[in-house]
Amino acid sequence: MISNAAIDELAASLPGRVSTSPVDLTDYSRDQGPVVQTILPSAVIRAQSVEDVQALLGWATRHGVPVVSRGAGSGLSGGAHATTGSVILSLELMNRIVEINPVDETAVVEPGVINADLNAAVAEHGLMYAPDPASYRWSTIGGNVATNAGGLRCAKYGVTRDSVLALDVVLADGTLVSTGHRTFKGVAGYDLTALMTGSEGTLGVIVGITVRLRYLPRAVRTLAAFFDSFPAAAAGVLAIGRARVQPAILELLDGRTLEALDGAHGSDLRQRGGSLLLIRTDGFGAAAEAEAIRAALVGLGASVSDEGSEEADRLVDLRRHSRGDEVDDLYRVGEDVAVPKSQLVRYVAELEAMASRHDVRLKVVAHAGDGNLHPTFWVDRSEGERAQERLEEALDESVRCALDLGGTITGEHGVGQYKRRWLPWEQSPEILELQARVKQAFDPLGILNPGKAIVS
Amino acid sequence: MISNAAIDELAASLPGRVSTSPVDLTDYSRDQGPVVQTILPSAVIRAQSVEDVQALLGWATRHGVPVVSRGAGSGLSGGAHATTGSVILSLELMNRIVEINPVDETAVVEPGVINADLNAAVAEHGLMYAPDPASYRWSTIGGNVATNAGGLRCAKYGVTRDSVLALDVVLADGTLVSTGHRTFKGVAGYDLTALMTGSEGTLGVIVGITVRLRYLPRAVRTLAAFFDSFPAAAAGVLAIGRARVQPAILELLDGRTLEALDGAHGSDLRQRGGSLLLIRTDGFGAAAEAEAIRAALVGLGASVSDEGSEEADRLVDLRRHSRGDEVDDLYRVGEDVAVPKSQLVRYVAELEAMASRHDVRLKVVAHAGDGNLHPTFWVDRSEGERAQERLEEALDESVRCALDLGGTITGEHGVGQYKRRWLPWEQSPEILELQARVKQAFDPLGILNPGKAIVS
């Protein structure tokens, strides 16, 4: 553990930034992922500058103290959970938009900038920052980069990595480096920017981000298509693909998700169908794309919203926020696997069989355009540990099944702490070893977010 | 140097694959980048299978022999030039398209598959492989991945990295590993797929590639816009950006490039303008996008081709092949810098001043949509070494200037061997050191394409 003298040294060098108050230690001890064991950090450091981060990491290197970096703490895999003897580095106060360049179509931000704030600022230039995780109203760009966050618009616009051009990174020993380039293209040296993106604070601390912006679409069309059943809606996803139309958003909601939305909002979605597809097209072709999609879905028997109806837009907003205030714990876990699109129907049928076999409850939403599913399993809290075990068994089985169908254990949330047990199911010992060697190359003392993201 | 006994051992273990004929040693000694010093390899190995590659690398590890991998040898930076004591591993015979999955919109290929062959095979499914380097008719997907190749369609569809989902890689010691995932999204562990992409054979040998395919656009519109001058055409590029229209192709050709095309093809392009912009839009919005672009360019005084005219399409084909059979040498070097879009006009003005100052000739084409310029400098061969020195000075200055304007030394060709002298101008000693450590983690003996891609 860290000595009081070491904490005092840190507090003296970063006056006003270091807190050891019990409230802070508790509030910053975790993100929104499941907590298997609650551990409090030794201190919370709210950095206000790159120099603060450098000073902290210099101190951490001298004292051998693990550092867990975080943005808004909205992660869902425990990547920002405190670990034994660690301090938490919060980047939330480094929240300046440093530069918006509307001609180059780039922006430079500090890591604590909220995703939605960047989008609001660039919208007046006719631009958008494409990655839009469901948490976009409160999650930070730095956290989005650290987890290579996804979102609803990925199928058309790519994931966070595809919008990151350059990074300023403080290395484990406090050295500041810059990776990447300000141009859209650039292949000088190894792609350290991509390597850093999604590394969950285990290779360095991201303190500056240059992003590529996209054109804010002037035309947008949104369709809501109700189907009798989940398999019918999944067939709709494949029909849109067969029509070779690329929606910006393509979300699939099962009947139990519709019931949950009805319960929360007093709507009657579940009465209108057993499954819902929400489709948004954008750009100069938005209207023509929406018509092509409508034709394909009506042909399958779907009930598709009228053109000009505002309901579909409202439903997309509902979907974006359908996680609401639910925080995962040991009785309720939202999963994040991805499978090849062709396996969507089969995978959900397998999920339903598992839920029934293990007597757990299940609802499913999917970013269907890229095969990324968020099944949520839950059990009744009153049942206690036995129910937790059933939940764990169902989760393990659902992950194994996604892998068997050619999928991955995590489409967009990251491995963090919670999913490390599944990583060796997906990746070979040789790949795990390579990753450990990369980690060693960047962080020889192992002080950067140890026990996260990789297995070593 | 390698002993004859070692070569005999290799030939015995890979019967029919190993050549030491003088013709092969010469033909495979270089790619299309400038050769500073001709070095012949000790042998050429034409692998026919993953096992062949594994056997070769096992042998190379045992004997400490450098291995230079290559596809078609169409690289422009000397990344596949033979180095002292090396053997050349050609992957051109591993050219099977292993799988096309039109529902998942993916394909799996061996590294020797020609880019155009993959596109032809997937077109019948309404799909395309988006990355389209100018060499697409003869370069291989493996080489494209190894250099993270760009092309004309990058501004809209991204570079090679953005289409690569998973890789099979033989490591330096002969171990076969798989990186990435078959799904569009996936964030399990570090992004070794991106790290491998663009690493120019220095971290491993790519023996299998899973790519994401895109929808083949049904509608395409192409415009040719002649401007009085290069600055006027560059202003057209910025006007298209201001209109927030994303073309699939946006190529900028200067007057001397038009003269060169006229000379080669008997056309009269240069008479019609001092600079040419070629624009292609695609997808459901192609016609509307083309009209918005036409309006923006006519407003700037450009002479824009009529709708339905076939000339613009023909000019795009000409542009694609405008490198022709020209191979770079010490009297003629095609550069590959990129600058922020806002700096295009200024950069070309600087180039022209440099060319005049150093008495070298200059022509410029640019993938203007992403600020990637290909200036070609050349001098008269009859002038001998003095002229080579002037050329080198102009090149150095052009690279330094691109960096000063916020650019990069290589937008899409790669560092290879030829551009290593400029890498420390772009990247700090700390970044160079990190890359050397990554290299060390993957290739501790340093046998994979030493002296390329990075500086260590």
Side-chain angles (χ1 to χ4, degrees):
Chain A
M1 294 302 293
I2 316 172
S3 69
N4 288 338
I7 296 284
D8 290 345
E9 178 198 327
L10 180 66
S13 72
L14 291 171
R17 272 74 155 170
V18 181
S19 170
T20 54
S21 87
V23 171
D24 280 341
L25 297 186
T26 302
D27 285 353
Y28 287 81
S29 68
R30 59 165 300 184
D31 61 26
Q32 295 194 48
V35 176
V36 176
Q37 185 195 358
T38 298
I39 294 174
L40 294 188
S42 302
V44 174
I45 297 89
R46 293 189 191 85
Q48 294 183 20
S49 67
V50 172
E51 291 73 22
D52 287 357
V53 176
Q54 293 184 275
L56 171 67
L57 288 176
W59 171 88
T61 289
R62 285 195 304 279
H63 294 278
V65 176
V67 176
V68 180
S69 304
R70 64 179 257 155
S74 56
L76 296 167
S77 300
H81 285 356
T83 49
T84 307
S86 66
V87 298
I88 303 288
L89 167 58
S90 168
L91 298 151
E92 66 199 311
L93 300 183
M94 291 177 64
N95 61 357
R96 281 188 317 134
I97 296 176
V98 178
E99 182 189 325
I100 294 172
N101 190 323
V103 180
D104 292 338
E105 301 152 21
T106 57
V108 181
V109 300
E110 290 185 339
V113 169
I114 305 293
N115 181 306
D117 291 347
L118 176 60
N119 263 304
V122 302
E124 60 190 84
H125 301 286
L127 296 167
M128 68 174 180
Y129 173 64
D132 63 339
S135 59
Y136 74 100
R137 289 189 302 183
W138 59 90
S139 66
T140 64
I141 306 284
N144 295 170
V145 174
T147 56
N148 192 12
L152 276 68
R153 294 192 290 229
C154 296
K156 179 166 181 175
Y157 292 103
V159 293
T160 296
R161 187 196 71 181
D162 302 307
S163 287
V164 176
L165 297 175
L167 295 173
D168 295 326
V169 178
V170 176
L171 301 177
D173 65 0
T175 308
L176 176 66
V177 298
S178 297
T179 72
H181 38 81
R182 296 173 61 97
T183 49
F184 288 173
K185 269 168 160 176
V187 291
Y190 299 150
D191 193 346
L192 300 183
T193 306
L195 183 63
M196 205 59 70
T197 303
S199 66
E200 304 192 32
T202 64
L203 300 179
V205 177
I206 294 163
V207 294
I209 302 143
T210 302
V211 297
R212 174 184 181 168
L213 303 169
R214 310 274 172 171
Y215 299 152
L216 195 63
R218 297 195 189 173
V220 166
R221 290 289 185 282
T222 312
L223 299 175
F226 287 91
F227 290 82
D228 286 344
S229 67
F230 188 95
V237 172
L238 300 187
I240 294 170
R242 267 199 312 278
R244 302 303 186 215
V245 186
Q246 178 65 65
I249 291 179
L250 180 51
E251 295 292 308
L252 178 52
L253 290 71
D254 76 348
R256 289 196 202 84
T257 301
L258 297 182
E259 282 166 17
L261 288 174
D262 288 340
H265 303 281
S267 48
D268 64 344
L269 302 174
R270 181 64 186 84
Q271 283 179 34
R272 294 161 66 191
S275 190
L276 174 62
L277 261 191
L278 293 171
I279 306 112
R280 181 169 285 169
T281 58
D282 67 13
F284 283 79
E289 289 172 348
E291 283 319 298
I293 290 172
R294 175 193 300 280
L297 299 186
V298 168
L300 292 175
S303 161
V304 184
S305 58
D306 293 334
E307 204 198 334
S309 148
E310 287 168 16
E311 185 193 26
D313 285 307
R314 215 168 50 241
L315 288 171
V316 170
D317 278 345
L318 269 189
R319 157 65 193 109
R320 274 192 192 275
H321 311 131
S322 65
R323 284 193 69 85
D325 293 329
E326 294 171 333
V327 174
D328 285 2
D329 59 23
L330 302 181
Y331 295 94
R332 178 193 177 284
V333 177
E335 255 315 308
D336 169 46
V337 298
V339 296
K341 263 203 307 194
S342 59
Q343 304 298 320
L344 272 175
V345 174
R346 178 158 166 211
Y347 184 63
V348 172
E350 298 277 1
L351 283 178
E352 295 190 342
M354 279 167 221
S356 160
R357 203 154 54 233
H358 295 287
D359 189 22
V360 300
R361 305 194 56 195
L362 168 70
K363 62 180 184 178
V364 182
V365 297
H367 304 311
D370 41 27
N372 184 196
L373 294 111
H374 296 309
T376 298
F377 289 105
W378 75 101
V379 289
D380 196 327
R381 271 152 225 283
S382 64
E383 289 186 70
E385 281 191 14
R386 265 296 296 141
Q388 283 182 23
E389 278 171 33
R390 298 203 314 272
L391 179 68
E392 292 294 311
E393 284 165 17
L395 283 170
D396 281 352
E397 211 169 298
S398 74
V399 169
R400 181 73 77 186
C401 178
L403 291 171
D404 289 345
L405 296 179
T408 175
I409 65 170
T410 177
E412 57 181 14
H413 292 172
V415 168
Q417 185 183 68
Y418 187 72
K419 296 184 192 171
R420 282 174 85 225
R421 73 180 198 259
W422 298 320
L423 194 55
W425 298 4
E426 176 165 346
Q427 297 183 334
S428 68
E430 292 81 7
I431 289 288
L432 298 177
E433 166 66 20
L434 273 179
Q435 293 179 123
R437 279 193 246 156
V438 170
K439 164 79 172 169
Q440 173 76 19
F442 278 77
D443 176 25
L445 300 178
I447 61 167
L448 294 175
N449 210 8
K452 312 286 178 64
I454 62 169
V455 175
S456 54
Chain B
M1 294 302 294
I2 317 170
S3 69
N4 287 340
I7 296 284
D8 291 345
E9 178 197 326
L10 179 67
S13 72
L14 291 171
R17 272 74 153 169
V18 182
S19 170
T20 54
S21 86
V23 170
D24 281 340
L25 298 187
T26 302
D27 286 353
Y28 286 81
S29 68
R30 60 165 300 183
D31 61 27
Q32 294 193 49
V35 177
V36 176
Q37 185 195 1
T38 298
I39 294 174
L40 293 187
S42 302
V44 174
I45 298 90
R46 293 189 190 84
Q48 294 183 19
S49 67
V50 172
E51 293 72 22
D52 286 358
V53 176
Q54 292 184 275
L56 170 66
L57 288 176
W59 171 88
T61 289
R62 285 195 304 279
H63 294 277
V65 175
V67 176
V68 179
S69 304
R70 63 179 261 156
S74 56
L76 296 167
S77 299
H81 285 355
T83 48
T84 307
S86 66
V87 297
I88 303 289
L89 167 59
S90 167
L91 298 150
E92 66 199 311
L93 299 182
M94 292 177 63
N95 62 356
R96 281 187 317 132
I97 296 175
V98 178
E99 183 189 324
I100 294 171
N101 191 321
V103 180
D104 293 337
E105 300 153 20
T106 56
V108 180
V109 301
E110 291 185 338
V113 169
I114 305 294
N115 181 305
D117 291 346
L118 176 59
N119 263 303
V122 302
E124 62 189 82
H125 301 286
L127 297 166
M128 68 174 180
Y129 173 65
D132 63 338
S135 58
Y136 74 99
R137 290 188 302 183
W138 59 90
S139 67
T140 64
I141 305 283
N144 295 169
V145 174
T147 55
N148 191 15
L152 277 65
R153 293 192 290 229
C154 295
K156 179 165 182 175
Y157 292 103
V159 294
T160 296
R161 187 197 69 180
D162 302 307
S163 286
V164 175
L165 298 175
L167 294 173
D168 296 326
V169 178
V170 177
L171 300 177
D173 65 0
T175 308
L176 176 66
V177 298
S178 297
T179 71
H181 38 81
R182 295 173 62 97
T183 49
F184 288 173
K185 267 168 158 176
V187 291
Y190 299 150
D191 193 345
L192 300 184
T193 306
L195 184 62
M196 205 58 71
T197 303
S199 66
E200 305 191 32
T202 64
L203 299 179
V205 177
I206 294 164
V207 293
I209 303 144
T210 302
V211 297
R212 174 183 181 170
L213 304 169
R214 311 274 172 170
Y215 299 152
L216 196 62
R218 298 196 187 170
V220 166
R221 290 288 185 283
T222 312
L223 299 175
F226 286 92
F227 291 82
D228 285 344
S229 67
F230 189 93
V237 172
L238 300 187
I240 294 170
R242 266 198 314 275
R244 302 303 187 217
V245 186
Q246 179 64 67
I249 290 179
L250 180 52
E251 296 291 308
L252 179 52
L253 290 71
D254 76 349
R256 290 196 201 83
T257 301
L258 298 183
E259 283 166 18
L261 288 173
D262 288 340
H265 303 283
S267 47
D268 64 345
L269 302 174
R270 182 63 187 85
Q271 282 178 34
R272 294 162 65 192
S275 190
L276 173 63
L277 262 192
L278 292 170
I279 307 114
R280 180 169 287 169
T281 60
D282 67 14
F284 282 80
E289 289 171 349
E291 283 319 298
I293 290 171
R294 175 193 300 279
L297 300 186
V298 167
L300 292 175
S303 161
V304 185
S305 59
D306 294 333
E307 205 198 334
S309 147
E310 286 169 15
E311 185 192 26
D313 285 306
R314 213 166 53 239
L315 288 171
V316 169
D317 279 344
L318 269 189
R319 157 64 192 109
R320 275 193 191 275
H321 310 131
S322 66
R323 285 193 67 86
D325 292 329
E326 294 172 332
V327 175
D328 284 2
D329 59 23
L330 301 182
Y331 294 94
R332 178 195 177 282
V333 177
E335 254 315 309
D336 169 47
V337 298
V339 296
K341 263 203 306 193
S342 59
Q343 303 300 320
L344 271 176
V345 174
R346 181 162 163 207
Y347 185 63
V348 173
E350 299 275 1
L351 284 178
E352 295 190 340
M354 279 167 222
S356 159
R357 205 155 49 234
H358 295 286
D359 188 21
V360 301
R361 303 192 60 195
L362 168 71
K363 61 180 184 178
V364 182
V365 297
H367 305 310
D370 41 26
N372 185 194
L373 295 111
H374 295 310
T376 298
F377 289 105
W378 74 101
V379 289
D380 196 327
R381 273 153 223 283
S382 64
E383 289 186 68
E385 281 190 15
R386 265 295 297 139
Q388 282 182 22
E389 279 171 32
R390 295 203 317 271
L391 179 68
E392 291 294 310
E393 284 164 17
L395 283 169
D396 282 352
E397 212 171 296
S398 75
V399 169
R400 181 72 77 183
C401 177
L403 291 171
D404 288 345
L405 296 179
T408 175
I409 66 170
T410 176
E412 58 181 14
H413 292 173
V415 168
Q417 184 183 68
Y418 187 71
K419 296 183 192 171
R420 282 174 86 225
R421 74 179 197 260
W422 297 321
L423 194 56
W425 297 4
E426 176 165 346
Q427 297 183 333
S428 68
E430 292 82 8
I431 288 288
L432 297 177
E433 167 66 20
L434 273 179
Q435 294 179 120
R437 280 193 246 156
V438 169
K439 165 78 173 171
Q440 174 76 17
F442 278 78
D443 177 24
L445 299 179
I447 62 167
L448 295 174
N449 210 10
K452 311 286 178 65
I454 63 169
V455 175
S456 55

